Amino acid sequence: VMENVKNALAELTLEDDGVDGENIYLYGEGWNFGEVENDRIFEQATQFNMGGSGIGNFNDRIRDAIKGGFFSWDGRSQGFANGRYLFPNEENESTTETLNQLLDQGDRIRVGMAGNLGTYQYENYRGDVVDGSNDHIGFTRQPQETINYIDKHDNETLWDDSQAKLPDSMSMEDRVRVHLLKNSFINFGQGIPFYQLGTDMLRSKSMDRNSYQSGDWFNMVDYSMESHNWGIGLPPAWDNQDRWDEQEHFLTNPNIAVEKEHMELTNRLFREQLEIRYSSPLFRLENAEQIHNRLAYHNTGPDQIPGIIAMTLSDGVCTDQNLDQNYDGILVLFNADIEERTIDLKLEGMTLHPIQQNGSDSIVKNASAQNGEFTIPALTTAVFVKPTVNDSRGDFPCNSYKSIY
């Protein structure tokens, strides 16, 4: 049905119908569940079945890896960006098991940021060279087939879910940084970014997980940022009552107090992330071949520094086509730890992105590059660029696994 719809729409033209049908984008929730699970009745429009169709599907792999599932489903189970192993909450620990879970979440994020391509090859945390389909992660054949997101209309908002996962004692400043760190994986990844309305202002529904009948009291978004919906009351009983005791614990935590300044800062930094995304076409590669050639990961395998994802995007010697006239290459460093980290990547001639140099985040300005080593502040995503000199092709590293395609 979905393929027939796509083909029928493609026949519409500007001349005859006022619509360029080939450029209508179709996407949906390709979950494999219910009475038709595993194609029991007929072949379903599910994630893996849709690879190669050009139709988008929501990517729950990157979602759950970043934040650890939804509180209403998985309780206080933490994700890569909110403390698993690195700063466990009161119900979790730093163990060999949680370290391996963190590293596995990092691999899932890497695949998701590579357009969730089932064909993208990389070294996983076990030290095996695998492709994106390993462990049933990557389901696409082209990057437009993944909708990368962390929250949308159903279940808890990103802000509300985070407050259940983070340690009770964490400061508001760090809670805001965690929120922005999570969004940066979406904003700097290949594929189609998708957001819940208001996530750029720390949107809250006071932990209501199913608010379609909750009215304006829980669903309101105040664009003036003079008010915020955290802690305005326990969410309605009909789909929340079994967790009221836990919700009350979080909603009355004195360390969680959202002020206008927090919302304004988040809004500015979210917009700056989008400005960086649109500062280079390397963040928006158009097909699988470009991703295979240009996108590479460092700090992978069993000996990696936990909590660090290092991604490069090359406009150098990878192909015959230059996409970015300003930069020979881009390095994005995600530090999900609550400690500053230094990593040696042996990449020379790089500087912090101008938008971050001149932006609203005073902490990211402490990120530095010297003699191929990079220092990244805690709970920070730092973007470094290598400017193009005299229109040269440069020598920025390509994906070392691209040759198999």
Side-chain angles (χ1 to χ4, degrees), residues 36 44 62 81 84 112 129 159 246 277 317 322 335 364 366 372:
V36 294
Q44 295 294 299
I62 193 171
R84 187 180 291 265
V129 176
W159 174 259
E246 295 170 282
R277 179 178 180 86
V317 296
N322 279 76
N335 180 10
V364 76
N366 295 321

Side-chain angles (χ1 to χ4, degrees), residues 58 67 70 147-161 179 183 186-187 193-212 218-221 223 270:
F58 283 99
K67 68 189 190 65
F70 289 102
I147 304 291
N148 287 343
Y149 79 110
I150 323 176
D151 62 344
K152 51 188 178 74
H153 58 277
D154 52 4
N155 297 293
E156 295 86 0
T157 69
L158 179 61
W159 174 259
D160 289 352
D161 182 79
H179 186 88
N183 274 300
I186 305 302
N187 288 334
F194 187 98
Y195 321 96
Q196 184 177 55
L197 182 150
T199 194
D200 59 315
M201 299 182 290
L202 306 176
R203 184 180 182 180
S204 174
K205 300 180 185 181
S206 282
M207 304 193 78
D208 191 351
R209 69 168 299 267
N210 201 354
S211 67
Y212 81 100
F218 288 97
N219 286 305
M220 183 186 72
V221 178
Y223 290 97
F270 189 95

Side-chain angles (χ1 to χ4, degrees), residues 81-102:
N82 57 16
R84 187 180 291 265
Y85 177 76
L86 300 170
F87 49 98
N89 59 36
E90 291 75 14
E91 296 183 13
N92 291 279
E93 298 179 302
S94 296
T95 64
T96 300
E97 180 182 9
T98 57
L99 171 59
N100 287 334
Q101 291 168 348
L102 172 78

Side-chain angles (χ1 to χ4, degrees), residues 118-158:
T119 54
Y120 184 83
Q121 195 173 47
Y122 69 104
E123 180 189 21
N124 69 12
Y125 80 94
R126 301 182 184 95
D128 301 322
V129 176
V130 298
D131 65 25
S133 66
N134 186 64
D135 290 334
H136 214 63
I137 303 172
F139 55 78
T140 75
R141 293 295 176 266
Q142 296 294 340
Q144 69 266 28
E145 294 169 356
T146 182
I147 304 291
N148 287 343
Y149 79 110
I150 323 176
D151 62 344
K152 51 188 178 74
H153 58 277
D154 52 4
N155 297 293
E156 295 86 0
T157 69
L158 179 61

